[in-house]
Amino acid sequence: MPLTIQHDDLLPGRNFIGGQWREAQEGRRFDVTDPATDAVFATVPDSGALDAAAALEAAHAAFASWRAVPAKQRAQILRRWNDLVLAHQDDLGRLISREQGKPLAEGRGEVAYASSYVDWFAGEATRANGDVIPAPVPGRRMFALKEPVGVVAAITPWNFPAAMIARKIAPALAAGCTVVCKPAEDTPLTSLALVRLAEMAGVPSGVLNIVTASRQRAAEVVDVWLDDPRVRKISFTGSTPVGKHLARRSADTLKKLSLELGGNAPFIVFDDADLDAAVDGLMVAKFRNGGQTCVCPNRVFVHSAVHDTFVDKLAARVSALKVGPASDEASQVGPMINARAVEKIERHVNDAVERGAQVVVGGQRLASMGSNYFAPTLLVGVDSSMACSMEETFGPVAPVTRFDDAADVIRAANGTPFGLAAYFYTRDVRRVWRLADALECGLVGINEGALAAEAAPFGGVKESGYGREGSVHGLDEYVHLKYLCQGQV
Ligand SMILES: NC(=O)c1ccc[n+]([C@@H]2O[C@H](COP(=O)([O-])OP(=O)(O)OC[C@H]3O[C@@H](n4cnc5c(N)ncnc54)[C@H](O)[C@@H]3O)[C@@H](O)[C@H]2O)c1
Ligand SMILES: N[C@@H](CC=O)C(=O)O
């Protein structure tokens, strides 16, 4: 099935600054490729410092009027945006699959997921209540108000090109902030399409601005925003090294930060687990988006008593996965995003094998399909010395480690600098609470492999970052509290 878009106006192909679609000021453009074939199928502006500065000017100029728009009206605009997103679900799903490579059902699913955040924050906009505080002394009235922080810079990754940007822009606009954003260079088209729909929904000029840039020029764009005191908040999803760079560089102007960074999720199967449910949960959590998800299990720990049975069941499921381009509706695992991604996966598998792991399924590139395909892979005999245990593989590789002792496996699960998601399967209710307490992470799947939801707080601890997206806490990332104290009452 061709991944063509029915509505060409979803492909503006330019930056959106101050309510106008514009080329980069230096006139440069860069290629967008289809990871299934490596064919170039679009180009977008390769922006630089001038474009970043123009976007910031526009966002700064629009802030005073946007924050004054009543919350109910901001919510109505967000709802109109959401309606348009849903009305274009097929096109947006095809666009995501085309530029990112995920199977079509997942592309469409991501649109619904992105929409759920827009809908959620439309509601939250009208509930940004403050506090009336009982005064500790006579003659005073005390209040805490929530105010929008100001201009927000949103910087997003390629693995969820719609959802990651939606869950930053929606709360920012709901809170009364204005936005400058730079999407990932591999997947700029979906973000441009979402901004086009926001324009159609009536988001006023300057309130939402987007500039695209190649990998080589990403830092030039973002540095303008990092160094300018008018940007009051950075919301970033991406790798831990880039997140640390943003935190260091925004220190001089003390910006508020949300950093959703890399993970290295453990997935633990105890000897009393429902093994079929655990296999189902692992398949969903591990192979969604070809394993290119920050909450994907990266280390699978299985109790010795059930190890062989679990591995047999898992091997049958992994071997049955159908790999192919998104244009084939039967595909369950698509291409990886680019050559760098495949090289990393290959390096991890080779390193594991050299250090004594065994390949049960897969283990190599699928070069006959294209340069970005890697076979769904199951490894056993994995230990903590291997690169695949210490770094996020971000690919369709399930590395299994055997364990015997619960205390040891908790130590191992916590034994990395990261702390985003963790999963475990057990029927023992006391163990459920022990592990839920002991695991050092922001999200825990208990007999469950699919965690994320707009109503839940999403985010990490340790070097997986800080800040939460979604939930009743998500709006707080975009406001500050102002305390008012009235005397002589
Ligand atoms: N915690 C989460 O919610 C979450 C979600 C998705 C992805 N991730 C993580 O993101 C990583 C994969 O995404 P990626 O490869 O796109 O990450 P990345 O950090 O390389 O890129 C993310 C964004 O940062 C920009 N960027 C890159 N270098 C920059 C620089 N020097 N200055 C400013 N901006 C820069 C990129 O252009 C892109 O827009 C994985 O580690 C994954 O776990 C985390
Ligand atoms: N998969 C995460 C995003 C990180 O990759 C989510 O489900 O929100």
Side-chain angles (χ1 to χ4, degrees), residues 155-160 164 167 182-185 215 218-219 222-223 236-240 242-243 245-246 260-263 293-294 340 392 394 420 458 464 469:
I155 301 141
T156 53
W158 49 265
N159 62 344
F160 287 85
M164 297 302 101
R167 76 183 188 195
K182 193 210 74 62
E185 53 280 357
R215 184 93 192 161
V222 174
D223 283 354
F236 173 73
T237 298
S239 62
T240 295
V242 174
H245 162 73
L246 301 183
E260 300 280 356
L261 309 178
T293 301
C294 53
R340 267 191 302 139
E392 193 180 27
F394 234 52
L420 186 54
F458 190 102
S464 292
E469 296 193 316

Side-chain angles (χ1 to χ4, degrees), residues 287 314-315 318-321 323 345 349-350 353 358-366 374-379 396-398:
F287 293 99
L314 186 59
V318 176
S319 331
L321 285 171
V323 181
I345 298 164
V349 171
N350 291 345
V353 171
Q358 299 95 54
V359 175
V360 180
V361 181
Q364 74 288 313
R365 290 171 185 254
L366 297 173
F374 200 93
T377 295
L378 173 57
L379 301 174
V397 179

Side-chain angles (χ1 to χ4, degrees), residues 145-223:
L145 308 186
K146 289 185 179 176
E147 289 191 333
V149 291
V151 177
V152 172
I155 301 141
T156 53
W158 49 265
N159 62 344
F160 287 85
M164 297 302 101
I165 211 155
R167 76 183 188 195
K168 296 182 187 315
I169 292 175
L173 299 190
C177 298
T178 56
V179 177
V180 290
C181 93
K182 193 210 74 62
E185 53 280 357
D186 289 300
T187 55
L189 300 176
T190 306
S191 314
L192 291 174
L194 286 177
V195 172
R196 170 77 183 115
L197 293 172
E199 179 194 17
M200 287 161 64
V203 172
S205 297
V207 168
L208 175 56
N209 308 274
I210 185 167
V211 298
T212 55
S214 63
R215 184 93 192 161
Q216 292 73 25
R217 303 196 82 195
E220 182 184 329
V221 166
V222 174
D223 283 354

Side-chain angles (χ1 to χ4, degrees), residues 61-145:
F63 176 58
S65 55
W66 180 244
R67 69 174 291 186
V69 171
K72 186 171 177 178
Q73 211 175 316
R74 291 200 297 268
Q76 283 162 345
I77 294 174
L78 284 170
R79 288 211 172 87
R80 276 204 298 277
W81 185 29
N82 188 41
D83 290 344
L84 287 167
V85 168
L86 289 175
H88 292 84
Q89 183 171 10
D90 284 342
D91 264 353
L92 290 170
R94 279 192 283 264
L95 196 51
I96 292 170
S97 292
R98 182 88 193 268
E99 64 175 353
Q100 199 270 326
K102 65 183 57 164
L104 207 44
E106 291 191 31
R108 282 176 55 84
E110 186 185 336
V111 180
Y113 183 47
S115 140
S116 71
Y117 284 98
V118 180
D119 183 51
W120 176 266
F121 283 110
E124 288 301 291
T126 60
R127 291 189 283 270
N129 304 328
D131 301 313
V132 180
I133 304 162
V137 290
R140 287 197 187 163
R141 289 282 184 273
M142 295 165 55
F143 310 90
L145 308 186

